[in-house]
């Protein structure tokens, strides 16, 4: 069964939590119409069936698909939960969507990153969001996601390296090394002490010291007691 991955326009965003002054978390989901469309595409109009039954007061949905390879029907079942609006209709739709998850339709949504939009962006709890772009890796996991607001403004981006801010590697500069000499000289120590510790050739203006070692040496020099005059 070749269940395709969901397209961006088949995924909807729902506010998971809204924290005043902090931000909004979003959840990704699919609706029942998407499930029906994909079932038709993969198995054909007459290649799948659904039925609902009440078990111990809970509504279950069973989705059956025809397997050409095994020449038989394959069934997946799950239970639904009530919606906040229409109780019975919500259970019917939810149980169907859950059963389709068991078949593999939209299961990639479980790999979604945590979507957090900070309060500084100024959105209310009534804002509408939508998925503009989505990408997957070979394991059918989400590795790129772009979400926009109701005006089309980008408010969340995940996994697109070309858009991510590059982290600048901190390097030890000439000015920073000169500061080490000053600390040593002010306390009465010679340049040799700094040059030996930092593997620095003063004449050739070469600096060969990591940021970690630089910070260690700086702390060591600052911790030294000043030499007595004539010592």
């Amino acid at each position: 069964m070749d269940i395709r991955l969901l397209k961006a326009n088949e995924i909807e965003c729902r506010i998971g939590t809204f924290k005043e002054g902090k931000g909004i978390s979003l959840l990704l989901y699919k609706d029942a119409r998407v499930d029906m469309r994909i079932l038709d595409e993969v198995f054909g109009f007459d290649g799948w069936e659904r039925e609902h039954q009440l078990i111990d007061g809970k509504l279950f949905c069973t989705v059956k698909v025809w397997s050409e390879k095994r020449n038989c029907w394959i069934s997946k079942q799950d239970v639904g939960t009530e919606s906040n609006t229409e109780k019975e209709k919500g259970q019917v739709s939810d149980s169907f969507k859950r059963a389709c998850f068991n078949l593999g339709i939209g299961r990639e949504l479980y790999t979604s990153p945590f979507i957090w939009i900070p309060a500084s962006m100024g959105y209310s709890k009534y804002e509408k969001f939508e998925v503009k772009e989505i990408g997957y890796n070979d394991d059918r996991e989400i590795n790129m996601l772009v979400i926009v607001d109701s005006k089309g403004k980008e408010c969340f981006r995940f996994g697109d390296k070309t858009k991510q801010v590059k982290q600048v590697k901190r390097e030890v500069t000439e000015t920073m090394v000169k500061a080490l000499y000053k600390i040593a000289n002010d306390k009465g120590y010679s340049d040799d002490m700094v040059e030996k510790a930092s593997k620095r050739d003063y004449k050739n203006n070469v600096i060969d010291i990591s940021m970690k070692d630089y910070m260690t040496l700086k702390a060591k020099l600052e911790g030294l007691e000043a030499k007595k005059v004539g010592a």
Side-chain angles (χ1 to χ4, degrees):
M1 297 184 295
D2 187 17
I3 304 291
R4 68 168 173 80
L5 297 163
L6 297 180
K7 302 173 184 177
N9 61 4
E10 294 175 323
I11 304 171
E12 297 186 36
C13 298
R14 179 172 58 204
I15 292 179
T17 58
F18 176 82
K19 296 183 178 181
E20 192 72 42
K22 293 184 178 181
I24 299 172
S25 69
L26 298 180
L27 303 174
L28 303 182
Y29 71 100
K30 58 181 174 65
D31 64 25
R33 287 168 293 190
V34 171
D35 290 312
M36 290 186 279
R37 184 186 308 125
I38 293 178
L39 285 170
D40 284 344
E41 289 178 10
V42 178
F43 305 102
F45 177 76
D46 58 353
W48 65 278
E49 298 177 356
R50 65 184 280 191
E51 63 178 359
H52 295 269
Q53 54 189 148
L54 204 60
I55 303 175
D56 294 332
K58 297 180 179 180
L59 190 63
F60 284 76
C61 177
T62 301
V63 176
K64 299 179 180 179
V65 296
W66 180 256
S67 171
E68 294 288 350
K69 182 178 180 180
R70 298 176 60 179
N71 195 35
C72 66
W73 289 94
I74 296 176
S75 303
K76 299 292 182 180
Q77 185 184 72
D78 213 324
V79 65
T81 57
E82 299 176 6
S83 69
N84 295 325
T85 52
E86 300 177 74
K87 180 179 177 179
E88 293 183 1
K89 184 178 178 181
Q91 287 189 70
V92 170
S93 177
D94 191 60
S95 61
F96 174 61
K97 290 186 292 182
R98 287 170 178 264
C100 289
F101 265 125
N102 291 335
L103 282 170
I105 300 176
R107 197 177 295 171
E108 58 273 18
L109 296 182
Y110 289 128
T111 69
S112 169
F114 178 65
I115 305 170
W116 180 257
I117 300 176
S120 58
M121 298 194 75
Y123 295 118
S124 74
K125 60 183 177 181
Y126 303 108
E127 180 62 46
K128 301 296 183 182
F129 302 93
E130 64 180 53
V131 177
K132 182 180 180 182
E133 298 178 52
I134 192 166
Y136 307 96
N137 61 23
D138 293 338
D139 293 321
R140 299 174 69 89
E141 299 169 330
I142 297 173
N143 63 2
M144 193 274 285
L145 180 66
V146 179
I147 292 177
V148 297
D149 60 20
S150 57
K151 296 181 180 179
K153 178 183 176 181
E154 183 179 311
C155 54
F156 179 85
R157 178 177 286 270
F158 165 78
D160 187 348
K161 294 181 180 180
T162 62
K163 296 295 183 179
Q164 289 178 342
V165 177
K166 292 184 178 179
Q167 303 226 353
V168 179
K169 182 180 179 181
R170 292 186 65 197
E171 296 180 349
V172 179
T173 64
E174 176 73 16
T175 301
M176 292 168 71
V177 173
K178 285 183 177 179
L180 293 183
Y181 280 97
K182 187 175 187 310
I183 294 173
N185 296 158
D186 287 348
K187 293 193 174 187
Y189 293 92
S190 67
D191 292 350
D192 292 341
M193 180 181 179
V194 179
E195 292 181 12
K196 183 178 180 180
S198 64
K199 301 177 183 177
R200 182 180 188 279
D201 182 347
Y202 187 80
K203 295 180 180 179
N204 295 320
N205 196 32
V206 175
I207 300 173
D208 183 16
I209 184 173
S210 68
M211 180 60 70
K212 181 179 179 180
D213 289 341
Y214 168 83
M215 296 303 295
T216 300
L217 177 58
K218 183 172 182 289
K220 181 180 178 180
L221 290 172
E222 290 175 336
L224 290 175
E225 292 184 4
K227 277 189 175 184
K228 293 181 180 180
V229 179

